[in-house]
Amino acid sequence: MLTLASDFGSPYPAAMRGVLCQRTDARLVDVAHDFPRQDVRAAAFWLRETLPYFPPATHLVVVDPGVGTDRSAIVVRTGEHALVGPNNGVLRPPARRLAGDGPIETYVIDETRLDPVEPTSGPSADADILGTDASGDGDGGPTSNTFHGRDVFAPAAAAVHDAPLSTLDDLAFLAPAESVVELELPTATVDAADDRAHGDVLVVDDFGNVITNVPGGYLDGRERIRANGDTVPVGETFAAVPVGDRLATVGSHGYVELDVNQGRGDDAFGLAAGDEVVLEPTSGR
Amino acid sequence: MLTLASDFGSPYPAAMRGVLCQRTDARLVDVAHDFPRQDVRAAAFWLRETLPYFPPATHLVVVDPGVGTDRSAIVVRTGEHALVGPNNGVLRPPARRLAGDGPIETYVIDETRLDPVEPTSGPSADADILGTDASGDGDGGPTSNTFHGRDVFAPAAAAVHDAPLSTLDDLAFLAPAESVVELELPTATVDAADDRAHGDVLVVDDFGNVITNVPGGYLDGRERIRANGDTVPVGETFAAVPVGDRLATVGSHGYVELDVNQGRGDDAFGLAAGDEVVLEPTSGR
Amino acid sequence: MLTLASDFGSPYPAAMRGVLCQRTDARLVDVAHDFPRQDVRAAAFWLRETLPYFPPATHLVVVDPGVGTDRSAIVVRTGEHALVGPNNGVLRPPARRLAGDGPIETYVIDETRLDPVEPTSGPSADADILGTDASGDGDGGPTSNTFHGRDVFAPAAAAVHDAPLSTLDDLAFLAPAESVVELELPTATVDAADDRAHGDVLVVDDFGNVITNVPGGYLDGRERIRANGDTVPVGETFAAVPVGDRLATVGSHGYVELDVNQGRGDDAFGLAAGDEVVLEPTSGR
């Protein structure tokens, strides 16, 4: 199984699917292609929360604001999962979650040793275009500087999928990585003295639910909390409050969410990804 | 075959796909994940019009504004199709269409008897989060109160898919349902005296076509009709009128649609889902 | 393998998937369903740039502003690929790219000889609707005038997929096409005297990158160019300029693109699909 995730929107994922179908018989499953554009942190969060629900697979991830720079392309192996993507940190939070207490091995991709991606067609009537060196690097190769999803990550993922995970070292285009870009999602702190939680909005989901990094346990035993100054009820479900009302609840990722029953929490709380959140007990408890 | 439909947007469907891939080898086919949010009636319409084109399958449907309340989760079996989703009526119109004159059997899901959904990873470095009881119900179980698509409906659908349809009774987590929430899409009436049709806008599609519940036969033999007071031509195809002009036609679902050739009918007619529509003969005919 | 592409948005592609799954065991792969609405030229561009990355396949394409008119439905065969769609030119640019120097054969679909598409359900409780002649053409057949993707192209594509490509002539619903609607994407010209390129914006992608039809070779050896009067640097990658700055680069299709590093080129350059673009050397070079 090979999963695909990107911030490409459409139709760029199709070219990746084409290359993958050319190279491997792997079953393809889309995770998402509309991650917030060029937002490495948001993608890392969603992948960390989603990939562990999949059976062992190769996960192709392309959220890559540095495409074409000297950032390297890497393969991460942990347990029976492999992740393929840019070395910009996006693979680290999901890899750590998948690894648990197990090891994480990281390899760097040598693009020049990948079997080059070529369209399947014969010589083109538009040969003036196809014949240009799209890479602009004078070597006449087909690798573009702007679409490594198609030209680098897809062929690498196909090869990784088809290789035994125990022998990734044997793939000619892989070598152990010497440096890996780290990414840590921010964590919340709870002040024992005043029982205040200081956290961040990790992401806002498509429903408008504001997903913080405050562990859900903070809500245990509370009927109300103050969120950035506003008092809202704590509910086990959205339906604990009337339609249109705000609440704090424990979301499906285990964190405190600030939501509106059948409405948008981000609008109602005035919060966006990256914003700070302070939760505190209400005086009346 | 297992179809998926929801109002989740992205990336929540990916977690459902992961759970399904863990539990079954079924082929997965997406119906849609952008049904109008929390709009049970619109989803019921689209599913009624779409699912009958599929071969026998298990259909996973999650449009569930009451998630986490005491609304039950159900499995509906009719013919060689099974539908899995919330007991809020959304499964009824498609089930009736699939059933034709045949029987419909409904089972309620006992969530506590489902094999719990767990991420595939080892113990997490973020154990403080994963270790919390996300359900908040004190039993330490993994079922969230807000994501039954992942935690209840997906594992139930996988098990239903893999079971012979004739032995759903044997599945430990299913019991015959005692009460089923009904949902009837509104029907139009035609007044024989004045030949007026009184109907409703069922949905507006992505093209802006206004799909009413007036049977297409109403347009038989007419060259023009009045729609909420405006006279528009009747056309067999969009192209019966100039680009940008309004028309009434028989849509692909067999109902009268109010459309604009290569434009948006909802804007041109000032109509939205749920609005009333009165069609009447033009005096001149 | 059978790929699907359309401008349908959602959920209409699901009905096509259902029909395809009824008729063939082909693997289904989505190219895109959000091509710019009823924009034959944009779809032709994206298909030309994307389909050649797929292995031999049948490609179902429905971008069809003339649905229900007398435009014919066609099947195009070139090499080991087949394309199925409306005879409005949309299939021509991808077919020519797939063909290279090889031949292209075109067949017209006789809709009346297709095995009619029927829902799989039994007689409907809503028989008053299903029983109407949705086509309005008095023959009682099920073919709609507005959804040929479901009723014509999908069944045709399934049959084409399952037939040996060398015997398409044997399919009863196909006959050699006598006239084929041509579509040529505009090409750019470079004036040798003043080294100016006169071109067009072919499409704007989801990132906002402005994709012109000026061959990438125009940028060879240049550090800056003037684009519609504004001087911008030439970069091999987006990251050649600071975040938020404009640049000209060679895109993944081999053409000059006008982009913004991590921003939208269409907004920054004030350009949309179809606009004219003049590129010229800067005086200082």
Side-chain angles (χ1 to χ4, degrees):
Chain A
M1 178 169 302
L2 203 157
T3 77
L4 293 83
S6 76
D7 63 351
F8 283 168
S10 175
Y12 290 116
M16 295 203 298
R17 289 185 197 113
V19 171
L20 292 168
C21 289
Q22 269 194 51
R23 304 279 177 115
T24 175
D25 293 327
R27 179 179 185 178
L28 305 184
V29 181
D30 283 317
V31 170
H33 291 289
D34 54 1
F35 282 139
R37 193 130 290 164
Q38 297 170 327
D39 184 339
V40 170
R41 192 171 95 163
F45 170 79
W46 286 115
L47 293 167
R48 185 186 73 177
E49 300 299 326
T50 303
L51 298 188
Y53 288 96
F54 279 88
T58 298
H59 306 286
L60 170 58
V61 175
V62 195
V63 177
D64 190 16
V67 60
T69 67
D70 59 1
R71 69 98 189 87
S72 57
I74 56 174
V75 175
V76 175
R77 176 194 162 199
T78 180
E80 297 179 89
H81 292 265
L83 299 94
V84 180
N87 185 12
N88 62 12
V90 70
L91 304 182
R92 296 294 297 173
R96 282 197 301 271
R97 180 65 62 84
L98 287 167
D101 296 329
I104 297 176
E105 295 163 6
T106 305
Y107 302 87
V108 66
I109 296 172
D110 181 347
E111 299 170 16
T112 66
R113 304 188 75 166
L114 282 171
D115 192 14
V117 169
E118 313 256 14
T120 54
S121 64
S124 168
D126 300 294
D128 63 319
I129 296 303
L130 280 190
T132 60
D133 175 8
S135 67
D137 58 6
D139 64 1
T143 303
S144 71
N145 281 316
T146 53
F147 196 3
H148 283 193
R150 178 190 72 190
D151 297 336
V152 176
F153 296 118
V160 166
H161 177 274
D162 286 358
L165 273 185
S166 57
T167 61
L168 286 187
D169 305 69
D170 296 344
L171 290 173
F173 65 87
L174 290 185
E178 294 184 358
S179 74
V180 179
V181 173
E182 194 47 81
L183 176 68
E184 302 274 359
L185 297 180
T187 53
T189 57
V190 179
D191 186 325
D194 59 5
D195 205 18
R196 278 191 184 184
H198 293 260
D200 305 84
V201 177
L202 291 176
V203 294
V204 173
D205 72 15
D206 269 11
F207 287 82
N209 298 317
V210 175
I211 302 174
T212 77
N213 59 353
V214 179
Y218 182 79
L219 300 183
D220 283 355
R222 301 187 202 270
E223 292 183 8
R224 280 173 303 281
I225 59 164
R226 285 166 65 88
N228 284 4
D230 292 349
T231 299
V232 293
V234 172
E236 285 192 15
T237 73
F238 301 133
V241 298
V243 170
D245 271 18
R246 301 191 293 180
L247 78 159
T249 190
V250 182
S252 60
H253 311 295
Y255 292 108
V256 174
E257 290 186 13
L258 300 174
D259 305 330
V260 167
N261 184 18
Q262 300 189 36
R264 293 194 66 91
D266 55 348
D267 292 341
F269 285 93
L271 286 170
D275 286 350
E276 290 185 18
V277 173
V278 176
L279 306 182
E280 53 193 336
T282 53
S283 49
R285 182 60 188 271
Chain B
M1 178 170 302
L2 204 157
T3 78
L4 294 84
S6 76
D7 63 352
F8 284 168
S10 176
Y12 290 116
M16 295 203 298
R17 290 187 197 111
V19 171
L20 291 169
C21 289
Q22 269 194 51
R23 303 280 176 116
T24 174
D25 293 325
R27 180 179 184 178
L28 305 184
V29 181
D30 283 316
V31 170
H33 291 289
D34 52 3
F35 282 139
R37 194 129 291 164
Q38 296 170 330
D39 184 337
V40 169
R41 193 172 93 161
F45 171 79
W46 287 115
L47 292 166
R48 186 187 72 177
E49 300 299 327
T50 303
L51 298 188
Y53 288 95
F54 279 88
T58 298
H59 306 287
L60 169 58
V61 175
V62 194
V63 177
D64 190 16
V67 59
T69 66
D70 59 2
R71 70 97 189 89
S72 56
I74 57 174
V75 175
V76 174
R77 175 196 162 197
T78 179
E80 296 179 271
H81 291 265
L83 299 93
V84 180
N87 185 12
N88 61 13
V90 70
L91 304 183
R92 296 296 295 173
R96 283 196 302 271
R97 180 64 62 83
L98 288 166
D101 296 329
I104 297 175
E105 296 163 4
T106 305
Y107 304 86
V108 66
I109 296 172
D110 180 346
E111 301 169 14
T112 65
R113 303 189 74 167
L114 282 171
D115 192 15
V117 168
E118 314 256 13
T120 54
S121 63
S124 168
D126 300 294
D128 62 319
I129 295 301
L130 282 189
T132 60
D133 175 9
S135 68
D137 58 4
D139 65 1
T143 305
S144 71
N145 280 317
T146 53
F147 196 2
H148 283 194
R150 179 189 71 190
D151 297 336
V152 175
F153 297 118
V160 166
H161 177 275
D162 287 357
L165 274 185
S166 57
T167 60
L168 286 186
D169 305 70
D170 296 344
L171 290 172
F173 64 86
L174 291 185
E178 294 183 359
S179 74
V180 179
V181 173
E182 195 47 81
L183 175 68
E184 302 275 359
L185 297 181
T187 53
T189 57
V190 179
D191 188 324
D194 59 5
D195 205 18
R196 278 192 185 182
H198 294 259
D200 306 85
V201 177
L202 290 176
V203 294
V204 173
D205 72 14
D206 269 11
F207 287 83
N209 296 317
V210 175
I211 302 174
T212 77
N213 58 354
V214 179
Y218 182 78
L219 299 184
D220 283 354
R222 300 186 202 271
E223 293 182 7
R224 283 174 299 281
I225 59 165
R226 285 166 64 88
N228 285 6
D230 293 349
T231 299
V232 293
V234 172
E236 285 191 15
T237 73
F238 300 132
V241 298
V243 169
D245 271 19
R246 300 191 293 179
L247 78 159
T249 190
V250 182
S252 61
H253 312 295
Y255 292 108
V256 174
E257 289 185 14
L258 301 175
D259 305 329
V260 167
N261 184 19
Q262 301 189 36
R264 294 194 65 91
D266 56 346
D267 292 340
F269 285 93
L271 287 169
D275 286 351
E276 289 185 19
V277 174
V278 177
L279 306 182
E280 54 193 336
T282 53
S283 48
R285 183 62 188 271
Chain C
M1 179 171 301
L2 204 157
T3 78
L4 293 85
S6 76
D7 64 350
F8 284 168
S10 175
Y12 290 116
M16 295 202 299
R17 290 186 196 111
V19 171
L20 291 168
C21 289
Q22 268 194 50
R23 302 280 177 115
T24 174
D25 294 326
R27 181 179 182 178
L28 305 184
V29 182
D30 284 316
V31 170
H33 291 289
D34 52 2
F35 282 140
R37 194 131 288 167
Q38 296 170 330
D39 184 338
V40 169
R41 192 172 96 163
F45 170 80
W46 286 116
L47 293 167
R48 186 186 72 178
E49 301 298 328
T50 303
L51 297 188
Y53 289 95
F54 279 88
T58 298
H59 306 286
L60 170 58
V61 176
V62 194
V63 177
D64 189 16
V67 61
T69 66
D70 58 2
R71 70 99 187 88
S72 56
I74 56 174
V75 175
V76 175
R77 175 196 162 197
T78 181
E80 297 179 89
H81 291 264
L83 300 94
V84 180
N87 185 12
N88 61 12
V90 70
L91 304 182
R92 297 293 297 171
R96 282 197 301 272
R97 179 64 62 84
L98 288 167
D101 295 330
I104 298 176
E105 296 163 5
T106 306
Y107 304 87
V108 66
I109 296 171
D110 181 347
E111 301 170 13
T112 65
R113 303 188 76 167
L114 282 171
D115 192 16
V117 169
E118 314 255 13
T120 54
S121 63
S124 168
D126 300 296
D128 63 320
I129 296 301
L130 281 190
T132 60
D133 175 8
S135 68
D137 59 5
D139 65 1
T143 303
S144 70
N145 281 317
T146 52
F147 196 5
H148 283 193
R150 179 190 70 191
D151 297 336
V152 175
F153 297 118
V160 166
H161 177 274
D162 286 358
L165 273 185
S166 57
T167 61
L168 286 187
D169 304 71
D170 295 344
L171 291 173
F173 64 87
L174 291 185
E178 296 182 358
S179 75
V180 179
V181 174
E182 194 46 81
L183 176 67
E184 301 275 358
L185 298 181
T187 53
T189 58
V190 179
D191 187 324
D194 60 5
D195 205 18
R196 277 191 185 183
H198 294 260
D200 305 84
V201 177
L202 290 176
V203 294
V204 173
D205 73 14
D206 270 10
F207 287 82
N209 297 317
V210 175
I211 302 174
T212 77
N213 58 353
V214 180
Y218 182 78
L219 299 184
D220 283 355
R222 301 187 202 271
E223 292 183 7
R224 283 173 299 282
I225 59 164
R226 285 165 65 88
N228 285 4
D230 292 349
T231 299
V232 294
V234 172
E236 286 192 15
T237 72
F238 300 132
V241 298
V243 170
D245 271 19
R246 300 191 292 180
L247 79 159
T249 190
V250 182
S252 61
H253 312 296
Y255 291 109
V256 174
E257 289 186 13
L258 301 174
D259 305 329
V260 167
N261 184 19
Q262 300 190 36
R264 293 194 67 91
D266 56 346
D267 292 341
F269 286 92
L271 287 169
D275 286 351
E276 289 184 18
V277 173
V278 177
L279 305 183
E280 52 193 337
T282 53
S283 49
R285 181 62 186 273

